[in-house]
Amino acid sequence: MDAHGDGGDQAALSALLDDAAVDAAVRARRIARDGRERARQVATWVGALRDLAEREADVQVHTDADVAVVGRLIGVASDHLLLRLDGGALTVVARPATTGVRETDGAAAATPPAAGDRPAPTDQTLLEVLDRWHEDAATVHLVTRGGATERGRIVAVGEDVISLTTGAGTLHVPADAIVSVSVR
């Protein structure tokens, strides 16, 4: 074996393999980046909400009633979000009344952009949740569009209306006027 014989061939082969490994790594990173970009391009509102709910992220939900609900996002349904507030209260927020969601915990700065186009995991409606709370005879705190608030007990849930007994009598609220309802 001479000074440039097999040892030189080994070095050339090693350099060639190193170049191939670098090229493969670059291709893998490009494919991953392209996949993330495609996911962002097809992102949906529900997909972004599901990502937050699956992490049970602490969020601030902004509403068109100029009311923000702060809590842990624990569910996304066909027409509402479900949050657990500090102290254990549950709140449903009507999705049509939601104008934005901001992550509030320490991970907020590292929150990735919206990605994914998955549907809501449940088709349970806000009125079905309120009907369950009616059966429990729970006292609720209701916020309607425009920011009006009422405290009372749900006495009936109809097809598109709820009736709430308050200190001032019975209040009938159309379902599409509901922004949020909380129960302890």
Side-chain angles (χ1 to χ4, degrees), residues 86-156:
D86 285 343
L90 290 176
T91 297
V92 289
V93 180
R95 276 191 23 213
T98 302
T99 60
V101 175
R102 181 184 317 273
E103 197 165 357
T104 60
D105 61 10
T111 299
D117 62 347
R118 300 171 296 154
T122 178
D123 59 357
Q124 182 180 43
T125 68
L126 180 128
L127 289 176
E128 290 170 337
V129 171
L130 297 181
D131 194 40
R132 278 202 328 248
W133 292 355
H134 161 249
E135 291 170 4
D136 294 341
T139 299
V140 299
H141 181 258
L142 170 78
V143 178
T144 60
R145 293 192 188 274
T149 63
E150 292 287 342
R151 186 174 233 33
R153 193 171 60 77
I154 299 171
V155 292

Side-chain angles (χ1 to χ4, degrees), residues 25 39 44 76 96 147 149 176:
T44 63
V76 178
T149 63
D176 62 2

Side-chain angles (χ1 to χ4, degrees), residues 1 7 18 54 58 75 78 111 114 118 134-139 160-161 167 178 183:
M1 186 176 0
D18 287 346
E54 286 169 357
D58 292 324
S78 60
T111 299
R118 300 171 296 154
H134 161 249
E135 291 170 4
D136 294 341
T139 299
D160 64 353
V161 63
I178 296 171
V183 65

Side-chain angles (χ1 to χ4, degrees), residues 66-93:
D66 205 26
V67 174
V69 180
V70 178
R72 179 159 293 177
L73 183 58
I74 59 174
V76 178
S78 60
D79 66 351
H80 66 278
L81 308 177
L82 181 62
L83 289 93
R84 182 171 307 285
L85 309 184
D86 285 343
L90 290 176
T91 297
V92 289
V93 180

